[in-house]
Amino acid sequence: SSCVDTSACQFVQYIGLDELQVAKVSFEMYPNPTKHQVTLSFSQEVALGNRVQIFDVRGKLVREEILQSHKQELDVAELNEGVYLVRYMGAHKKLIITN
């Protein structure tokens, strides 16, 4: 007796907890525009230890910080004047750096 595989292939995609919570993530960012420092304020549901990323207008990652507090200050004085994108778990905001 010979066995024949008659099952169909199924595509299975696993989604992690962080990805499921992306829609719920939001944050405030002030002051904006800024010269030296910006404060990011997150809701209490946000897990600490995740990355906050800053990208320039070309999409290059120029800064990355680990979220250590629900209200975190970032020193952006070393960034050139311009427009940046601040991203946290899929949520993003435009940041303007002035001289």
Side-chain angles (χ1 to χ4, degrees):
S1 115
S2 64
C3 294
V4 176
D5 184 4
T6 59
S7 63
C9 293
Q10 297 289 327
F11 177 75
V12 177
Q13 181 176 4
Y14 293 97
I15 298 176
L17 182 59
D18 289 344
E19 294 168 347
L20 290 174
Q21 294 178 354
V22 166
K24 297 180 184 179
V25 173
S26 66
F27 62 93
E28 299 296 321
M29 183 171 62
Y30 52 88
N32 191 14
T34 188
K35 291 182 180 184
H36 306 289
Q37 185 170 303
V38 64
T39 300
L40 305 178
S41 180
F42 296 88
S43 65
Q44 294 297 322
E45 296 83 37
V46 171
L48 301 180
N50 289 315
R51 291 180 173 88
V52 175
Q53 299 172 314
I54 301 177
F55 296 89
D56 66 14
V57 293
R58 294 172 297 207
K60 179 183 176 189
L61 178 65
V62 295
R63 181 91 185 268
E64 188 171 68
E65 294 278 329
I66 301 297
L67 186 62
Q68 299 175 1
S69 170
H70 289 102
K71 189 173 185 180
Q72 186 158 330
E73 296 177 351
L74 298 179
D75 180 6
V76 293
E78 79 282 356
L79 297 178
N80 293 326
E81 183 176 27
V83 177
Y84 294 85
L85 180 72
V86 178
R87 185 173 77 180
Y88 178 78
M89 291 182 60
H92 60 275
K93 294 199 181 279
K94 180 170 65 172
L95 171 64
I96 300 171
I97 306 290
T98 59
N99 285 334

